[in-house]
């Protein structure tokens, strides 16, 4: 009984509220990403896009979600039922879990308390991100396997091999960044960038590699081999219907949101406001935190836009091109980048 | 090599350079192209509110014509039905009785005249076949319906309004094309 009382219940409550807000927010962003995706696709193809549901089609995601809810729930009779349901749940869960370590802004000061706008400032935050992101492929693998469908299985295999190949290059590109920051905590990395320059100035090549790999990890075109509409007929989620399909589609957008957040954090200063000295304006208090969060969101939006922009520009890679790019181009590039960074860091410290 | 047009480009089979093989630069060029389109004028017609002008040779739903006195021109000769490649037209002929001269132009007329819009391919052969200028393809298209029956258009659906009793509707039905042309 005694040790129960020693828990800081207020802290628990604060974290729970923060988690709820961030989860809701990620879902909202994912929802409107679908709208943005359709609008951007339309504009790039000289069309207008959805504009009937509400002003400018603003209510379109609601209509889409409502439609998905009312669709018939079909579980193929020859599928593995437990895994079939586990697949989309896992995809969604891992997509949402990543946002736990992202620092959204500086601390808020409310009711005489300091509330950090980050669910958990883990000192190995970025390793956690990598771990969870690579878990994400299990959603695809399990879903594809459990469907008991050849296309789905092929898609699952493709997805797994793709994620494994690109995670390597991503990790190596990130090691180079680690050498500069010397910390695995996302908050420390951001704080370093707030006081000095953004990491993109030191690691442009590393960022490019990281970005390409992030595209691959999110299964976005040109790396959407695991859902290839034209060859695998939607791939791993072919057998899914109703909200289980919705979960898969949603997880993709949540992933996109989170990986944009991670990229903005690692390379573009996170909640740092460009051309603005935060230290000189500490008297702004909470407003500074809010401005930081808004700035962070703008950076994330730019990334999401770029993701979509690429999707509607380039066609899908062939499987051999994908593997060549991953193993023969990106990994050597990332290794070279790491070696050069290491050498420069050593030289500078002498 | 002899080319049909001067637009054809020989396939480039050179080995890709390293920059090309990582695709980043070429993707960037492509992205600039799509960005240009992002700000271009959109070509969409917002359909129910805006309609696209049809071409002058557009072939839409058939219309059964009347002469200047408002009499039906069709004499139920069946040539349109014979010409129709889709076998969409059926009709039943009847003889004009004394006192009906103001209704039908010829001594024989179509008592029943049906076109199945689900079969019709809007080829316009019926219009070409008709010796009496009785059938025309107009500039409207068949609206959607919930069951097949509603796609079988009978004579009342097809007949042009009477120029005597409904001159305005008649002019509208007849001159839509001319009006549109003048607008352009
Ligand atoms: S347009 Fe062609 S298909 Fe249609 S009714 Fe006339 S002849 Fe038949
Ligand atoms: S529409 Fe013309 S071709 Fe057809 S039955 Fe009537 S008169 Fe003959």
């Amino acid at each position: 009984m005694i040790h129960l009382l020693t828990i800081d219940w207020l802290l628990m409550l604060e974290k729970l509220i923060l988690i709820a807000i961030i989860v809701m927010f990620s879902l909202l962003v994912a929802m409107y990403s679908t709208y943005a995706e359709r609008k951007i696709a339309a504009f790039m193809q000289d069309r207008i896009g959805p504009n009937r549901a509400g002003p400018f089609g603003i209510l379109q995601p609601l209509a889409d979600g409502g439609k998905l809810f009312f669709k018939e729930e079909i579980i193929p009779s020859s599928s593995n039922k437990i895994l079939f349901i586990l697949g989309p749940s896992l995809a969604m869960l891992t997509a949402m879990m990543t946002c736990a370590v992202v620092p959204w802004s500086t601390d808020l000061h409310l009711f005489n308390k300091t509330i950090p706008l980050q669910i958990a400032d883990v000192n190995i935050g970025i390793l956690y991100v990598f771990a969870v992101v690579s878990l994400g492929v299990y959603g695809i693998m399990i879903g594809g396997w459990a469907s008991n469908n050849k296309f789905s299985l092929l898609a699952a295999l493709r997805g797994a091999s793709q994620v494994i190949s690109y995670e390597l290059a991503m990790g190596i590109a990130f090691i180079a960044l680690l050498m500069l920051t010397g910390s695995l905590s996302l908050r420390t990395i951001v704080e370093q960038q707030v006081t000095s320059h953004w990491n993109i100035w030191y690691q442009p090549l590393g960022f490019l590699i990281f970005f390409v790999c992030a595209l691959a990890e999110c299964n976005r075109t040109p790396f959407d081999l695991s859902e290839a509409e034209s060859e695998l007929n939607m791939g791993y989620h072919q057998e899914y219907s109703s909200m289980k399909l919705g979960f898969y589609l949603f997880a993709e957008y949540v992933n996109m949101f989170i990986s944009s957040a991670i990229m903005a954090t690692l390379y573009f200063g996170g909640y740092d406001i460009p051309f603005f000295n935060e230290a000189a304006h500490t008297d702004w208090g909470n407003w500074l935190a809010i401005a930081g969060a808004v700035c962070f969101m703008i950076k994330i939006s730019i990334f999401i836009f770029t993701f979509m922009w690429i999707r509607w520009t380039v066609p899908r890679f062939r499987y051999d091109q994908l593997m060549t790019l991953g193993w023969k181009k990106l990994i050597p590039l990332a290794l070279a980048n790491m070696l050069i960074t290491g050498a420069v860091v050593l030289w500078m410290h002498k | 090599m002899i080319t049909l047009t001067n637009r054809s480009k020989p396939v480039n089979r050179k080995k890709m350079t390293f920059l090309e093989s990582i695709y980043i630069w070429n993707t960037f060029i492509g992205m600039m192209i799509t960005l240009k389109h992002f700000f271009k004028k959109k070509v969409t017609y917002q359909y129910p509110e805006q309609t696209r002008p049809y071409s002058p040779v557009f072939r839409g739903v058939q219309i059964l014509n009347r002469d200047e006195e408002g009499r039906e021109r069709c004499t139920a000769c069946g040539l349109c039905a014979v010409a129709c490649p889709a076998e969409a037209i059926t009709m039943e002929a009847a003889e004009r009785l004394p006192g009906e001269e103001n209704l039908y132009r010829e001594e024989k007329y179509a008592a029943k005249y049906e076109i199945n819009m689900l079969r019709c391919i809007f080829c316009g052969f019926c219009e070409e076949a008709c010796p009496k200028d009785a059938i025309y393809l107009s500039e409207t298209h068949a609206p959607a319906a919930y069951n097949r029956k509603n796609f079988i258009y009978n004579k009342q659906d097809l007949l042009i309004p009477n120029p005597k009793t409904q001159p305005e509707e008649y002019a509208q039905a007849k001159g839509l094309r001319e009006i549109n042309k003048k607008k352009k």
Side-chain angles (χ1 to χ4, degrees):
Chain A
M1 263 329 275
I2 294 295
H3 62 268
L4 263 186
L5 295 174
T6 55
I7 296 176
D8 186 354
W9 288 107
L10 217 58
L11 185 74
M12 289 280 272
L13 187 71
E14 174 199 313
K15 289 295 178 195
L16 269 180
I17 293 174
L18 195 63
I19 289 172
I21 290 175
I22 287 175
V23 166
M24 294 306 276
F25 187 75
S26 317
L27 286 178
L28 192 78
V29 169
M31 217 162 100
Y32 273 91
S33 297
T34 63
Y35 170 74
E37 173 101 69
R38 293 175 63 177
K39 272 286 187 198
I40 288 170
F43 270 69
M44 295 203 165
Q45 297 166 351
D46 294 343
R47 297 184 284 117
I48 293 179
N51 65 344
R52 297 279 151 168
F56 302 106
I58 280 289
L59 301 177
Q60 190 66 38
L62 290 181
D64 288 344
K67 189 195 81 172
L68 274 176
F69 264 114
F70 287 113
K71 288 277 173 182
E72 188 188 351
E73 188 100 19
I74 300 169
I75 298 182
S77 58
S78 57
S79 67
N80 184 329
K81 295 221 169 42
I82 299 171
L83 290 185
F84 192 78
I85 296 170
L86 190 65
S89 330
L90 211 60
M92 198 66 180
L93 185 74
T94 49
M96 303 295 317
M97 262 164 72
T98 333
C99 54
V101 289
V102 177
W104 300 99
S105 190
T106 42
D107 301 343
L108 271 182
H109 299 279
L110 280 182
F111 316 118
N112 296 327
K113 260 176 77 73
T114 305
I115 302 171
L117 281 181
Q118 182 182 19
I119 296 174
D121 185 11
V122 194
N123 56 3
I124 50 156
I126 193 65
L127 289 188
Y128 168 86
V129 171
F130 271 90
V132 175
V133 164
S134 42
L135 271 183
V137 74
Y138 281 92
I140 295 179
M141 269 167 68
I142 290 177
W145 169 259
S147 304
N148 198 5
N149 175 314
K150 291 187 190 71
F151 285 139
S152 306
L153 185 62
L154 267 177
L157 288 175
R158 278 181 174 194
S161 52
Q162 172 186 324
V163 169
I164 290 169
S165 321
Y166 280 80
E167 223 152 60
L168 268 176
M170 194 185 210
I172 297 172
F174 177 66
I175 289 175
L177 182 69
L178 268 194
M179 289 176 181
L180 293 177
T181 59
S183 165
L184 282 164
S185 154
L186 285 172
R187 179 160 289 254
T188 319
I189 292 177
V190 174
E191 238 118 67
Q192 283 171 354
Q193 296 179 71
V194 171
T195 45
S196 77
H197 298 293
W198 291 359
N199 286 332
I200 176 78
W201 299 118
Y202 305 116
Q203 282 290 319
L205 182 62
F207 167 69
L208 262 184
I209 296 168
F210 197 92
F211 182 75
V212 173
C213 295
L215 271 179
E217 296 276 311
C218 293
N219 280 316
R220 297 286 301 177
T221 328
F223 302 101
D224 63 339
L225 274 100
S226 54
E227 50 179 81
E229 297 95 334
S230 45
E231 3 180 334
L232 293 180
N233 193 11
M234 304 318 285
Y236 61 93
H237 55 65
Q238 185 179 40
E239 297 285 354
Y240 283 90
S241 62
S242 185
M243 214 48 205
K244 289 210 279 302
L245 171 69
F247 263 37
Y248 268 133
L249 302 180
F250 242 67
E252 185 184 324
Y253 286 100
V254 176
N255 269 332
M256 206 160 88
F257 173 58
I258 300 292
S259 55
S260 302
I262 298 284
M263 275 189 291
T265 309
L266 290 182
Y267 291 96
F268 286 85
Y271 48 78
D272 178 32
I273 307 168
F275 313 115
F276 182 80
N277 188 4
E278 279 88 347
H281 293 273
T282 36
D283 51 320
W284 285 21
N286 287 344
W287 291 110
L288 197 63
I290 291 170
V294 169
C295 198
F296 191 40
M297 286 305 142
I298 292 172
K299 288 174 192 171
I300 292 175
S301 323
I302 292 173
F303 270 115
I304 293 181
F305 176 76
T306 315
F307 271 51
M308 293 176 177
W309 185 6
I310 291 175
R311 169 163 182 191
W312 298 105
T313 302
V314 284
R316 184 180 313 121
F317 279 128
R318 231 167 38 217
Y319 190 67
D320 62 314
Q321 288 174 331
L322 174 92
M323 284 298 155
T324 320
L325 181 64
W327 288 97
K328 291 201 201 147
K329 309 287 160 162
L330 288 185
I331 291 183
L333 264 182
L335 277 173
N337 183 45
M338 183 178 85
L339 285 178
I340 293 170
T341 315
V344 171
V345 167
L346 263 185
W347 184 66
M348 297 284 270
H349 277 244
K350 247 185 207 161
Chain B
M1 202 174 70
I2 301 165
T3 54
L4 286 178
T5 62
N6 50 8
R7 291 195 302 269
S8 67
K9 268 189 198 165
V11 180
N12 185 357
R13 297 200 188 279
K14 251 190 281 162
K15 216 167 175 308
M16 281 198 283
T17 60
F18 184 76
L19 190 66
E20 279 168 350
S21 71
I22 53 173
Y23 303 108
I24 289 179
W25 176 246
N26 290 31
T27 306
F28 182 72
I29 294 174
M31 281 165 79
M32 284 303 126
I33 294 174
T34 36
L35 190 67
K36 231 187 286 161
H37 280 269
F38 196 89
F39 297 109
K40 265 203 184 147
K41 199 173 164 291
K42 306 300 167 216
V43 294
T44 310
Y45 281 95
Q46 307 261 350
Y47 170 59
E49 294 92 36
Q50 283 174 357
T51 44
R52 201 161 66 103
Y54 286 132
S55 88
V57 292
F58 182 82
R59 299 190 296 258
V61 166
Q62 293 82 352
I63 206 165
L64 280 177
N65 213 358
R66 293 178 195 264
D67 66 1
E68 312 74 49
E69 292 155 45
R71 299 178 299 187
E72 291 172 24
R73 301 188 76 120
C74 176
T75 178
C77 64
L79 283 177
C80 52
V82 173
C84 177
E87 303 194 349
I89 305 178
T90 46
M91 73 190 69
E92 260 169 36
E95 196 183 335
R96 181 181 70 184
L97 299 174
E100 286 183 336
E101 284 87 355
N102 60 335
L103 291 178
Y104 311 110
R105 193 177 136 105
E106 312 289 339
E107 282 158 14
K108 191 173 135 222
Y109 70 94
K112 217 174 107 190
Y113 191 100
E114 285 178 355
I115 300 184
N116 187 341
M117 288 301 154
L118 292 173
R119 301 199 68 147
C120 176
I121 55 171
F122 303 101
C123 60
F125 282 3
C126 45
E127 175 179 325
E128 275 177 42
C130 182
K132 296 284 177 193
D133 268 2
I135 189 163
Y136 278 100
L137 269 66
S138 68
E139 277 198 349
T140 47
H141 39 234
Y146 283 107
N147 53 27
R148 280 156 189 267
K149 233 186 196 148
N150 292 357
F151 280 109
I152 298 174
Y153 283 26
N154 59 25
K155 205 167 91 176
Q156 285 323 305
D157 301 327
L158 294 167
L159 259 181
I160 198 166
N162 194 325
K164 281 273 169 65
T165 53
Q166 301 162 288
E168 248 170 58
E169 284 91 340
Y170 173 80
Q172 210 184 0
K174 184 118 197 254
L176 206 57
R177 191 169 295 189
E178 275 72 41
I179 292 169
N180 277 346
K181 258 193 209 149
K182 262 176 220 149
K183 256 192 233 159
K184 272 179 239 160

